[in-house]
Amino acid sequence: MHLVILFLFFFPSTVTRKPDTSENLKMIVINGNPVYSPGVVPGSRGDWTQCLEECRTTWNCALVTQTATGCDFLLLNQVKSITPSDSGPKVAFKMNLVDQCPSGSPPLSGNPVSKVIESNGIDFFETEVTSDSDSKLIFNYTVFKCLKDFPENPVLRGEYPIRVVYPLTSKFLPGEEFFMKGKIRSTFNGSFSISFFSAANGNYPLFIKVINGWRSTPYTSSAWDNGIELSTWYNTTYRYPVTIEGYPNPFNLSDAFEIRVNSSDTQVFVYLNGTTKLIFDLEPRFPLETTDQFIINDSGYPHEKISDYYFGWTGECWWEPME
Ligand SMILES: *[C@@H]1O[C@H](CO)[C@@H](O)[C@H](O)[C@H]1NC(C)=O
Ligand SMILES: *[C@@H]1O[C@H](CO)[C@@H](O)[C@H](O)[C@H]1NC(C)=O
Ligand SMILES: *[C@@H]1O[C@H](CO)[C@@H](O)[C@H](O)[C@H]1NC(C)=O
Ligand SMILES: *[C@@H]1O[C@H](CO)[C@@H](O)[C@H](O)[C@H]1NC(C)=O
Ligand SMILES: *[C@@H]1O[C@H](CO)[C@@H](O)[C@H](O)[C@H]1NC(C)=O
Ligand SMILES: *[C@@H]1O[C@H](CO)[C@@H](O)[C@H](O)[C@H]1NC(C)=O
Ligand SMILES: *[C@@H]1O[C@H](CO)[C@@H](O)[C@H](O)[C@H]1NC(C)=O
C-alpha cells in the first residue's frame, strides 16, 4: 500500500475522474467453454432470450451460458476465460458497439476484444476481454478507486526541501475534498501555504496561509498575526491579493493539525481539525474548478515550514484488480 500511494503521488494517474457507463452494450453470442473461477456456483435463469437481456442490463453480469432450461448467469470475477469451440454451448458476453458487428479478423481477435465499463452507482468496474494466441478469450476485471479520506498509512511528504507541486488530473468540483495533516513548526515566526493554483490562467482561486508568527505582509487590516488567511490572487507577482479574509489560527507551535477543504459553486469551506469551519467567498473570475495544481509552500521561503505532512484529495484515482 505504501508503494502504491507513493507512486500515485509522484506520477498522478492519468485516468479520467469518472468513466462513462457504456450506453451501447450488445450481447455477443459464440459457442465455447467458459472457465469459472474456483468455487463459483453459477446462478440460473429460466429463458435464454430474457437471460441475454437481463445480462445486458445488469451492471455486474459478466457472462451467460445457455442450458437446457435457460441459462447460467455469471457475475464479474466469476469467469476467467472462454475457450471458443463449435461443440460448446452458447455463451454470451457484453461488447460496447454502436451498430456495427465486431471488427477484426476473425471478429473476436484484436486486443482488447472488448472493454466495458459499468457502474453500480458508486464505483466503476471495467471488464476487459483479450484473446491469446490460441484464440482463448481472457477476462480481466478492474475497479476504479478514488481516495475518500486519508489513507490508513499515509506516506508522509516530510519536510520537503522545496515547494511541492501536485498536478490535478481532474477538476476540483463541488463534492471533492482536499485533506492535509501535519505538524506546525516548533519555532515562532513561520507559516506555510496551500495554493489552489490555475497554471493555465496564472491565478490562484484559493490561497491558504497558516501563520504562526508575524504576518509578513500587511495586505489589509483583516489579516492576522498568528492567523489563517484565505485569499485569491490574480498572480503572485502582484503585490496584493484580489480578495483576502483573516481568521484566528487555532493551531499553536508544534501542534498536530488537520485541514480539509471542500466547496460549493460560490464558496469554499475550510475545516480545521473538524471543529472550526471557515467560509470564504470565491472570486467569480477565478472558479475553484480551474485549479490544476495544488502547491505546498509556493513561495519557497525558508520560514515556510511544516513537518510530517501528508496531503491528498478525493480526485486521486486509479484502477486496481477487482477482488
Ligand atoms: C489481467 O490481469 C492480470 C492480473 O491483474 C494481469 O497480470 C494481466 O496482465 C492482465 N491481462 C491483460 C491482458 O490485461
Ligand atoms: C464539506 O464537508 C463537510 C464535512 O465533511 C460536509 O458536511 C459537507 O456536506 C461538505 N460540503 C460540500 C459542499 O461538499
Ligand atoms: C518575525 O518576523 C518579522 C518579519 O520577518 C520580524 O520583523 C520580526 O522581528 C520577527 N519576530 C521574531 C520574534 O522573530
Ligand atoms: C504574472 O505577472 C507577471 C508580471 O506581469 C508576468 O510576467 C507573468 O507571466 C505572470 N504569470 C502568470 C503565471 O501569468
Ligand atoms: C502556545 O505554545 C506556547 C509555547 O510553545 C505557550 O507558551 C502558549 O501558551 C501556547 N498558547 C496556547 C493558546 O495554547
Ligand atoms: C488537532 O488534532 C490533532 C490530532 O489529529 C491534535 O493532536 C491537536 O491537538 C488538535 N489541535 C487543536 C488545536 O485542536
Ligand atoms: C519550503 O521551502 C523551504 C525553502 O526551500 C524549506 O526550508 C521548507 O522546508 C519548505 N517547506 C515545505 C513545507 O515544503
Side-chain angles (χ1 to χ4, degrees), residues 45-106:
R45 301 286 191 278
D47 175 86
W48 176 238
T49 311
Q50 273 175 23
C51 200
L52 289 172
E53 184 56 12
E54 184 181 341
C55 185
R56 195 184 72 78
T57 55
T58 302
W59 73 271
N60 64 347
C61 176
L63 173 143
V64 284
T65 309
Q66 191 173 29
T67 60
T69 55
C71 78
D72 282 347
F73 196 91
L74 279 301
L75 305 179
L76 302 185
N77 242 2
Q78 294 188 326
V79 181
K80 291 278 175 223
S81 63
I82 306 172
T83 306
S85 155
D86 290 343
S87 60
K90 277 189 175 142
V91 293
F93 61 96
K94 289 170 208 177
M95 273 179 93
N96 196 2
L97 297 167
V98 181
D99 270 322
Q100 77 281 26
C101 281
S103 55
S105 173

Side-chain angles (χ1 to χ4, degrees), residues 162-165 178 180 184-185 190-197 204 206-212 216 219 227-231 233 236 257 259 261 293-301 303-306 309 311:
I162 45 162
R163 66 201 269 276
V164 176
V165 177
F178 168 94
M180 175 167 183
I184 304 289
R185 59 188 273 152
S191 66
F192 72 92
S193 66
I194 305 167
S195 298
F196 282 57
F197 181 55
Y204 295 72
L206 177 65
F207 184 73
I208 303 173
K209 193 166 173 187
V210 179
I211 306 163
N212 285 88
S216 46
Y219 306 117
I228 294 188
E229 289 173 4
L230 303 185
S231 53
W233 292 74
T236 42
F257 69 86
I259 294 178
V261 180
Q293 295 178 348
F294 297 135
I295 307 175
I296 308 298
N297 203 2
D298 191 24
S299 308
Y301 294 139
H303 67 265
E304 291 193 301
K305 213 159 189 165
I306 41 169
Y309 70 101
F311 68 92

Side-chain angles (χ1 to χ4, degrees), residues 172 198 201 203-206 265 282-291:
F172 194 93
S198 169
N201 303 317
N203 58 43
Y204 295 72
L206 177 65
D265 286 331
L282 290 161
E283 166 59 37
R285 283 177 294 161
F286 311 151
L288 199 59
E289 66 171 79
T290 58
T291 301

